[in-house]
């Protein structure tokens, strides 16, 4: 791969990481991105000479056996991907058990996949199954308004989902399943990866309390769009509160009608929990 012949997935990660930086979500080495490569690209990259030995994932993701991923590098800045993709991202291949990976391209200058690699892979494994192979892109990032909500109050998943649906009604259409709120856990640990992936059986976005957000979508545009929409709602909620408080907002019934207008349905478990409290 040379400077003048960047494949589509490299151009996509350049665009998405740049957009994330412009939004103010990617301070220093904050955030990470992974993309499960599509068949047409696998053909090309599987011919690459391996650049490392097999490395243990310290866990297994059998649902991703023999898959290939584009993954941002640990310690690298997402805002620098556009300048030097070959230093700041890499391509890895998983073995036929989903227990080890090796590097095929990138991480020049001595990086390796993100510290959140296992959280990304476990999320991919769950979402690949739940979406019947449709979802390919996982983004973790540090969105200031969503993070601020987790400092404001100890919200439940149902409460934070309602806040987001209600303060930018587009959210009821974009993520009717709601957003899971994961109580604080150590970043980079197996536990946070497992809990995130478990929540992803139902949700496509998981907020990490006092830290950030994880999202899965069909492609980088969709994962970015999910986060963008949720973050905008959190911003509107905060702005309305700065103006003196929220004195007018749609109730669940109206939000359900908006979702239904687009052939969607709000998560019935969350709706039940919210109705039981009112
Ligand atoms: O350093 O965002 O969660 C990258 C991260 C870890
Ligand atoms: Zn983070």
């Amino acid at each position: 791969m040379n400077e003048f012949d960047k494949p589509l997935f490299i151009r996509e990660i350049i665009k998405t990481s740049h957009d994330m930086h412009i939004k103010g979500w990617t301070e220093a080495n904050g955030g990470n991105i992974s993309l499960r490569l599509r068949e047409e690209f696998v053909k090309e990259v599987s011919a690459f000479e391996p650049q490392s030995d097999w490395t243990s994932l310290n866990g297994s993701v059998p649902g991703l056996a023999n898959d290939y991923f584009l993954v941002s590098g640990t310690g690298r800045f997402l805002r620098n991907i556009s300048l030097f993709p070959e230093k700041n991202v890499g391509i890895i291949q998983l073995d036929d058990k989903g227990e080890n990976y090796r590097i095929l391209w990138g991480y020049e200058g001595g990086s390796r996949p993100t510290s959140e690699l296992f959280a990304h892979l476990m999320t991919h494994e769950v979402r690949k199954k739940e979406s019947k192979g449709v979802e390919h892109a996982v983004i973790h990032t540090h969105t200031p308004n969503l993070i601020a909500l987790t400092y404001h109050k100890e919200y439940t998943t149902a409460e934070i989902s309602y806040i987001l649906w209600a303060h930018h009604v587009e959210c009821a259409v974009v993520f009717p399943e709601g957003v899971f709120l994961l109580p604080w856990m150590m970043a980079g640990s197996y536990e946070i990866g497992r809990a995130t992936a478990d929540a992803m059986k139902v949700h496509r976005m998981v907020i990490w309390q006092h830290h950030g957000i994880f999202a899965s979508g069909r492609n980088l545009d969709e994962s970015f769009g999910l986060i963008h929409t949720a973050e905008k709602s959190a911003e509107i909620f905060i702005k309305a509160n700065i103006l003196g408080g929220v004195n007018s907002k749609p109730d669940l019934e109206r939000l359900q009608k908006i979702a239904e207008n687009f052939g969607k349905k709000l998560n019935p478990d969350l709706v039940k929990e919210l109705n039981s409290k009112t």
Side-chain angles (χ1 to χ4, degrees), residues 31-32 116 140 142 208 211:
N32 23 78
E116 306 289 2
H140 162 62
H142 301 165
W208 288 357
H211 181 150

Side-chain angles (χ1 to χ4, degrees), residues 116 119 122 140 180-199 206-212:
E116 306 289 2
M122 285 194 284
H140 162 62
F180 191 87
L181 181 63
L182 188 67
W184 185 89
M185 285 184 178
M186 186 58 76
S189 66
Y190 172 84
E191 288 73 24
I192 200 169
R194 185 70 270 156
T196 301
D198 286 348
V206 176
I207 295 173
W208 288 357
Q209 187 187 32
H210 309 154
H211 181 150

Side-chain angles (χ1 to χ4, degrees), residues 4-171:
F4 300 104
D5 185 26
K6 289 193 180 83
L8 187 63
F9 58 85
I10 296 286
R11 282 185 271 152
E12 283 175 346
I13 202 168
I14 285 173
K15 160 99 174 108
T16 300
S17 55
H18 180 74
D19 288 351
M20 289 165 67
H21 173 60
I22 296 295
K23 298 302 293 176
W25 303 349
T26 63
E27 79 293 339
N29 62 329
N32 23 78
I33 302 175
S34 64
L35 186 65
R36 184 163 59 84
L37 295 189
R38 294 173 189 281
E39 204 69 43
E40 65 260 36
F41 300 120
V42 165
K43 226 178 269 169
E44 191 184 337
V45 304
S46 59
F48 289 4
E49 194 66 33
Q51 303 290 313
S52 76
D53 292 334
W54 290 106
T55 304
S56 172
L57 287 167
N58 295 318
S60 81
V61 279
L64 302 178
N66 298 314
D67 278 346
Y68 293 74
F69 292 86
L70 178 70
V71 186
S72 59
T74 186
R76 300 302 201 199
F77 293 12
L78 293 185
R79 60 185 279 262
N80 288 339
I81 292 176
S82 58
L83 198 54
F84 295 119
E86 66 281 6
K87 284 188 186 167
N88 296 296
V89 301
I91 296 172
I92 62 167
Q93 169 192 15
L94 267 52
D95 68 5
D96 57 7
K97 290 199 175 68
E99 290 177 355
N100 301 283
Y101 75 88
R102 64 182 177 186
I103 296 169
L104 295 183
W105 176 85
Y107 305 126
E108 284 179 12
S111 186
R112 58 180 194 283
T114 167
S115 57
E116 306 289 2
L117 179 64
F118 207 49
H120 277 256
L121 292 179
M122 285 194 284
T123 296
H124 276 287
E125 187 180 41
V126 167
R127 293 307 313 170
K128 183 182 176 187
K129 180 161 176 256
E130 296 299 327
S131 73
K132 300 187 172 39
V134 167
E135 291 177 24
H136 286 258
V138 172
I139 295 177
H140 162 62
T141 194
H142 301 165
T143 40
N145 293 291
L146 287 163
I147 296 170
L149 290 195
T150 73
Y151 281 92
H152 176 236
K153 226 179 112 175
E154 299 266 335
Y155 291 112
T156 64
T157 288
E159 286 166 347
I160 208 155
S161 296
Y162 175 64
I163 286 175
L164 297 177
W165 291 334
H167 292 87
H168 181 27
V169 296
E170 197 66 18
C171 294

